[in-house]
């Protein structure tokens, strides 16, 4: 386990980050600094580049330009598993579970992604690796308990209700031992009670030292839980600040009005 960094040191810095798909600039020169221990909201209309930004940070896409600094070190272009091992773990917008595995197997599988010690020792089946295996499965049980999934440990993930699958997706991310947890629309598909419970859970995770970057359309949840919010629109950062500052920002209001009009057209 890496000890939580002090509250103000930059953990992640995006510097002039860009990603183009052919002629489309999905992410345009975005600079963002995340401090250790904060809950940061990332909002913007559909298609504004939020998931692309997640894909860049987590190594699923390579930037066209710019830097991604993790604790001051460049990580752009590293493979996703290496980035996960550094402690940057993300969920996916649609699904983050292994449908054919049980809930406990999901966590065990995910815990290996974040295992920062001895892949070689494990492949050689050394005693240290067996001890590590026990530690991981104990840790997975704690996470099941924390996320209220213990009774479902032996259920097949594909058979769980949609909301429970989303919670399992987050449990999987936690099993990979994140320092920065990145959640892509975690509340989509949850009922109001599940939403409230999950947002409370996210605050407890921060209280035990995690830094959280959350993409979410539920404005009430974003505004009540996030310390700061970054707003992007058509790939560009248009505003950043406290929830209060951002909700008064003219460009942000216009970006959302534009989307509303499109939705209701
Ligand atoms: P958001 O998550 O904010 O809704 P995305 O990051 O998914 O937005 O998409 C931003 C833009 O990039 C959209 O126009 C989308 O169609 C495009 N895009 C995303 N991924 C790809 C890809 N792999 N290839 C081509 N275009 C993509
Ligand atoms: Mg998205």
């Amino acid at each position: 386990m890496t000890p939580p960094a002090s509250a103000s040191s930059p953990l992640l810095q995006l510097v002039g980050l860009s990603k183009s798909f052919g002629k489309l600039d999905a992410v345009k020169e975005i600079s963002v600094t995340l401090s250790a221990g904060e809950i940061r909201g990332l909002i913007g209309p559909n298609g504004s580049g939020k998931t692309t930004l997640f894909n860049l940070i987590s190594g699923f896409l390579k930037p066209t330009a710019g830097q991604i600094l993790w604790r001051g070190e460049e990580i752009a272009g590293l493979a996703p598993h290496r980035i996960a091992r550094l402690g940057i773990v993300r969920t996916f917008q649609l699904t983050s579970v292994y449908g054919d595995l049980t809930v406990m197997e999901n966590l065990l599988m995910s815990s290996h992604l974040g295992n920062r010690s001895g892949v070689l020792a494990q492949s050689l089946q050394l005693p240290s690796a067996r001890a590590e295996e026990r530690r991981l499965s104990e840790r997975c049980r704690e996470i099941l308990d924390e996320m209220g999934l213990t009774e479902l440990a032996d259920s097949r993930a594909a058979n769980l209700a949609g909301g429970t699958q989303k919670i399992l997706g987050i449990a999987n991310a936690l099993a990979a031992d994140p320092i920065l947890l990145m959640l892509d629309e975690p509340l989509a598909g949850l009922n109001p009670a599940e939403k409230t419970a999950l947002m409370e859970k996210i605050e407890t995770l921060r209280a035990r030292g995690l830094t959280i970057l959350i993409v979410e359309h539920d404005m009430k949840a974003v505004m009540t839980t996030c310390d700061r919010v970054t707003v992007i629109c058509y790939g560009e950062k248009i505003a950043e600040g406290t929830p209060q500052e951002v909700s008064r920002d003219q460009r942000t209001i216009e970006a959302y009005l534009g989307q509303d009009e499109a939705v209701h057209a």
Side-chain angles (χ1 to χ4, degrees), residues 16-30 48-49 52-53 55-56 60-66 234-235:
L17 196 62
S18 299
K19 177 67 189 179
S20 311
F21 298 110
K23 285 194 182 134
L24 174 76
D25 295 325
V27 169
K28 272 190 255 181
E29 293 180 28
I30 287 192
S48 57
T52 302
L53 208 56
N55 285 334
L56 290 169
F60 289 86
L61 287 174
K62 283 194 172 69
T64 314
Y234 293 115

Side-chain angles (χ1 to χ4, degrees), residues 134-153:
R134 273 196 301 278
R135 191 190 67 80
L136 287 180
S137 73
E138 224 166 85
R139 178 80 194 108
C140 290
R141 289 197 182 282
E142 283 168 16
I143 293 166
L144 284 184
D145 189 41
E146 185 176 24
M147 299 303 284
L149 294 169
T150 300
E151 285 179 10
L152 297 168

Side-chain angles (χ1 to χ4, degrees), residues 80-143:
H81 71 275
R82 293 197 49 203
I83 292 178
R85 220 162 268 160
L86 290 172
I88 303 176
V89 181
R90 55 88 61 97
T91 62
F92 291 86
Q93 191 172 338
L94 294 178
T95 180
S96 305
V97 307
Y98 307 101
D100 288 334
L101 301 183
T102 68
V103 167
M104 182 62 179
E105 286 165 350
N106 261 270
L107 265 72
L108 285 170
M109 181 77 114
S110 306
S111 70
H112 285 278
L113 260 180
N115 183 8
R116 290 190 262 287
S117 64
V119 173
L120 180 65
Q122 282 190 13
S123 57
L124 296 174
Q125 293 283 303
L126 299 180
S128 64
R130 286 197 293 274
E132 178 64 7
E133 205 65 36
R134 273 196 301 278
R135 191 190 67 80
L136 287 180
S137 73
E138 224 166 85
R139 178 80 194 108
C140 290
R141 289 197 182 282
E142 283 168 16
I143 293 166

Side-chain angles (χ1 to χ4, degrees), residues 50-51 93 184-185:
K50 305 179 297 293
T51 297
Q93 191 172 338
D184 199 352
E185 302 197 18

Side-chain angles (χ1 to χ4, degrees), residues 6 8 11 20 45 49 68 71 78 83 89 93-94 98 107 109 114 121 126 147-148 172 174 196 198 207 213 231 254:
S6 75
S8 59
L11 190 61
S20 311
I68 306 173
R71 295 173 156 166
L78 291 184
I83 292 178
V89 181
Q93 191 172 338
L94 294 178
Y98 307 101
L107 265 72
M109 181 77 114
L126 299 180
M147 299 303 284
N172 274 342
L174 291 175
T196 310
L198 185 56
L213 177 61
V231 189
E254 281 163 17

Side-chain angles (χ1 to χ4, degrees), residues 69-265:
L69 304 176
W70 174 248
R71 295 173 156 166
E73 307 261 337
E74 174 72 79
I75 58 161
L78 291 184
H81 71 275
R82 293 197 49 203
I83 292 178
R85 220 162 268 160
L86 290 172
I88 303 176
V89 181
R90 55 88 61 97
T91 62
F92 291 86
Q93 191 172 338
L94 294 178
T95 180
S96 305
V97 307
Y98 307 101
D100 288 334
L101 301 183
T102 68
V103 167
M104 182 62 179
E105 286 165 350
N106 261 270
L107 265 72
L108 285 170
M109 181 77 114
S110 306
S111 70
H112 285 278
L113 260 180
N115 183 8
R116 290 190 262 287
S117 64
V119 173
L120 180 65
Q122 282 190 13
S123 57
L124 296 174
Q125 293 283 303
L126 299 180
S128 64
R130 286 197 293 274
E132 178 64 7
E133 205 65 36
R134 273 196 301 278
R135 191 190 67 80
L136 287 180
S137 73
E138 224 166 85
R139 178 80 194 108
C140 290
R141 289 197 182 282
E142 283 168 16
I143 293 166
L144 284 184
D145 189 41
E146 185 176 24
M147 299 303 284
L149 294 169
T150 300
E151 285 179 10
L152 297 168
D154 298 322
S155 306
R156 195 166 161 266
N159 296 340
L160 301 175
T164 315
Q165 285 195 21
K166 299 276 297 200
I167 291 166
L168 175 57
I170 296 171
N172 274 342
L174 291 175
D177 197 11
I179 295 166
L180 169 62
L181 175 63
M182 308 203 305
L183 304 170
D184 199 352
E185 302 197 18
L187 302 182
L190 299 190
N191 66 38
E194 287 172 327
K195 282 186 184 181
T196 310
L198 185 56
M199 291 316 285
E200 282 169 6
K201 193 68 67 191
I202 288 170
E203 289 185 35
T204 3
L205 294 174
R206 184 261 295 276
R208 68 161 158 86
L210 285 188
T211 306
I212 293 155
L213 177 61
I214 177 170
V215 167
E216 186 44 60
H217 284 296
D218 185 319
M219 281 305 125
K220 184 166 160 266
V222 168
M223 294 304 173
T224 51
T225 312
C226 296
D227 302 305
R228 290 174 71 75
V229 178
T230 300
V231 189
I232 62 174
C233 187
Y234 293 115
E236 288 181 272
K237 183 164 101 173
I238 59 167
E240 190 168 71
T242 64
Q244 290 73 17
E245 286 164 350
V246 156
S247 59
R248 284 196 300 264
D249 177 79
Q250 199 52 37
R251 286 183 75 186
T252 304
I253 295 167
E254 281 163 17
Y256 277 93
L257 275 178
Q259 187 188 31
D260 253 20
E261 277 160 16
V263 169
H264 297 303

